[in-house]
Amino acid sequence: MTIALYIVLNLILLIISLTMIKSWGIKLLPTFASIFLLYCCAATFYDTDVELIQIKFLCDVIILLPSTLLILISLKRQNNIQILKEIKLLIVVIVSIVSSIILSLFYKKDSIFIFKTLFIGPIYESLFFHEIVFKLVKKEYELKKKIFTFFILSLLIGFSHGSLELFALCSRIIGFFLLYLIRLKWNENSKFWYVVLIHFTYNLLLIIYGIMKIGV
């Protein structure tokens, strides 16, 4: 998938997501701008030129800064900034960073992909989709419509992640949908770290499987 097509898919994701939240307005623009910047950052997945890794990493950090700020603004508007103070969540974040560094030392060519898969994906995507958007949808709909909306969002997220290979696509859709259901079951902020941990573990297993497959 080309970078242009990748970004177009994510624009479609944002537009449809906006239409699914009835009370959206200017105040929600920071929320959706944050994920758009995040996926622009993720577009560098598709080029693994070793000589450009440092430049790409710097560009990603620059893109992540406004994305991080916008996510913080969204959490604050939901009176939910305290979720970032959970000790268990901080432990998962530290583990994801350490894992990214260790694996990147052995697989330098794929270091950016590893960093995004083990850190940006579990942390940023979980905060956006399974916390900020989750709270918006939960506030708007009754239970059946919530589940339907979460399923549609999971479909969109699955298709927007790049690979359209059947197994990978289905696993992403099912995985994101199950995380929504888990979040619906455990609505308390103290349980949010479970979602991040599951997301991280799944991505880590995918990377390990990819490494073993290449080794074979």
Side-chain angles (χ1 to χ4, degrees):
M1 182 183 294
T2 65
I3 292 176
L5 179 57
Y6 183 87
I7 293 176
V8 167
L9 278 174
N10 283 287
L11 274 173
I12 294 172
L13 166 65
L14 295 183
I15 292 169
I16 296 178
S17 297
L18 281 171
T19 63
M20 300 179 79
I21 300 172
K22 294 182 291 185
S23 62
W24 76 275
I26 297 298
K27 64 181 181 179
L28 287 185
L29 292 182
T31 300
F32 291 95
S34 67
I35 198 65
F36 176 68
L37 287 171
L38 190 63
Y39 281 147
C40 285
C41 172
T44 55
F45 275 1
Y46 305 105
D47 185 356
T48 55
D49 189 338
V50 177
E51 295 179 359
L52 297 178
I53 283 180
Q54 291 84 354
I55 297 174
K56 290 177 188 173
F57 187 79
L58 179 60
C59 290
D60 286 344
V61 170
I62 292 171
I63 295 173
L64 278 179
L65 288 176
S67 180
T68 303
L69 177 61
L70 291 167
I71 285 176
L72 291 175
I73 291 172
S74 299
L75 288 172
K76 188 172 182 180
R77 283 179 172 172
Q78 291 183 332
N79 296 316
N80 200 23
I81 199 75
Q82 69 275 8
I83 198 170
L84 300 176
K85 300 177 182 179
E86 281 290 324
I87 298 299
K88 291 177 182 178
L89 176 61
L90 293 175
I91 292 172
V92 176
V93 171
I94 292 170
V95 170
S96 71
I97 293 173
V98 172
S99 302
S100 300
I101 293 171
I102 292 174
L103 284 172
S104 294
L105 291 175
F106 291 97
Y107 302 94
K108 292 182 180 180
K109 182 180 178 181
D110 299 315
S111 58
I112 292 180
F113 176 81
I114 291 170
F115 174 70
K116 291 176 180 177
T117 304
L118 295 184
F119 176 69
I120 295 178
I123 309 304
Y124 281 78
E125 281 189 335
S126 295
L127 279 171
F128 180 80
F129 289 110
H130 295 111
E131 184 55 33
I132 297 171
V133 172
F134 169 81
K135 289 287 176 67
L136 291 170
V137 173
K138 183 175 179 293
K139 182 180 178 182
E140 295 290 342
Y141 299 114
E142 60 183 1
L143 181 60
K144 288 183 179 179
K145 285 188 176 180
K146 287 175 190 172
I147 293 174
F148 175 74
T149 303
F150 290 145
F151 179 70
I152 297 298
L153 285 171
S154 300
L155 280 174
L156 295 168
I157 296 163
F159 278 101
S160 72
H161 264 59
S163 173
L164 298 181
E165 192 270 323
L166 184 61
F167 175 77
L169 180 62
C170 290
S171 66
R172 286 196 302 270
I173 293 170
I174 293 171
F176 266 91
F177 184 59
L178 287 176
L179 287 175
Y180 272 125
L181 295 182
I182 290 171
R183 194 72 184 99
L184 200 58
K185 174 75 174 177
W186 294 329
N187 186 32
E188 302 89 351
N189 282 350
S190 61
K191 303 289 187 181
F192 175 68
W193 73 276
Y194 281 109
V195 173
V196 181
L197 178 62
I198 292 169
H199 195 156
F200 164 75
T201 304
Y202 173 79
N203 285 5
L204 178 61
L205 290 175
L206 281 182
I207 287 180
I208 292 173
Y209 172 75
I211 290 172
M212 293 174 64
K213 191 174 181 181
I214 292 171
V216 173

